[in-house]
Amino acid sequence: MAKEDIPALQLQRHLTDTGYFTHYSHFSGDTIYYPDSNYPIVILSMGFEGVCLEKYLLVYKKNSPKNTDCMRVETDCDIDYGTNYNKLDYKVFNQTQFFTRDVSYEVDSASKVKITRNEHFYQINKKGKIDSLKKKPNGLILPKFIPMDVTDSN
């Protein structure tokens, strides 16, 4: 999938839920994982006028024009140094498993930063729905976590 803008009308024909639309957002294709599997995974990027970028993971049934499930898996917004900040990342491991890492940066009045990580594991079931898993599946290797510096270096 080329990283090109996708018109809203085209997206509306292919999404079961169009609650992601605002007049400030635009979508572009990002990545397709396992296009020949029973449930290909599509990553769509949504931008908000250069301030934020979000990525959504959509599951499709092979040869079906509508997705079976969807969830936000990445956020990348401008940082207002000295204030609280959240960052969401993801990794697709195989045809049915992926995870998200939600990192919260809390800045106190002394500019000290408390970092909280929440990692969630998911599996695509036989109906193409995303199920949350209670623990990390065996054999998966997580990407290394490198905290961001959210304090102003000026």
Side-chain angles (χ1 to χ4, degrees), residues 65-104:
K66 293 257 188 193
N67 68 310
T68 57
D69 213 346
C70 177
M71 73 180 290
R72 183 174 61 176
V73 293
E74 185 174 311
T75 59
D76 188 13
C77 297
D78 287 347
I79 299 172
D80 184 3
Y81 292 99
T83 63
N84 297 341
Y85 181 75
N86 279 63
K87 178 137 178 71
L88 179 65
D89 289 305
Y90 75 100
K91 178 171 175 65
V92 174
F93 294 110
N94 54 47
Q95 291 181 13
T96 61
Q97 296 173 323
F98 67 97
F99 101 115
T100 61
R101 178 182 289 146
D102 189 8
V103 182
S104 174

Side-chain angles (χ1 to χ4, degrees), residues 4-144:
E4 298 177 7
D5 284 345
I6 301 172
L9 286 175
Q10 180 181 355
L11 269 179
Q12 287 174 329
R13 286 190 293 254
H14 296 283
L15 297 178
T16 55
D17 179 4
T18 56
Y20 312 108
F21 294 104
T22 72
H23 64 283
Y24 297 111
S25 60
H26 71 275
F27 287 87
S28 62
D30 188 283
T31 308
I32 296 178
Y33 292 95
Y34 310 104
D36 294 327
S37 72
N38 287 335
Y39 290 100
I41 298 168
V42 174
I43 304 294
L44 286 182
S45 295
M46 180 174 71
F48 295 97
E49 293 189 357
V51 176
C52 279
L53 176 71
E54 294 182 347
K55 290 188 180 181
Y56 290 85
L57 183 146
L58 293 91
V59 180
Y60 282 83
K61 185 172 183 176
K62 189 174 185 174
N63 300 322
S64 175
K66 293 257 188 193
N67 68 310
T68 57
D69 213 346
C70 177
M71 73 180 290
R72 183 174 61 176
V73 293
E74 185 174 311
T75 59
D76 188 13
C77 297
D78 287 347
I79 299 172
D80 184 3
Y81 292 99
T83 63
N84 297 341
Y85 181 75
N86 279 63
K87 178 137 178 71
L88 179 65
D89 289 305
Y90 75 100
K91 178 171 175 65
V92 174
F93 294 110
N94 54 47
Q95 291 181 13
T96 61
Q97 296 173 323
F98 67 97
F99 101 115
T100 61
R101 178 182 289 146
D102 189 8
V103 182
S104 174
Y105 297 86
E106 296 176 46
V107 182
D108 68 15
S109 60
S111 293
K112 293 190 180 193
V113 180
K114 177 185 174 189
I115 300 172
T116 307
R117 283 190 300 177
N118 290 304
E119 296 174 335
H120 301 278
F121 298 88
Y122 301 94
Q123 184 156 329
I124 300 167
N125 68 28
K126 291 181 182 185
K127 294 182 179 183
K129 297 294 184 184
I130 298 170
D131 292 332
S132 180
L133 302 175
K134 295 189 184 292
K135 63 179 186 171
K136 175 183 170 263
N138 292 331
L140 299 183
I141 299 172
L142 298 181
K144 184 176 180 178

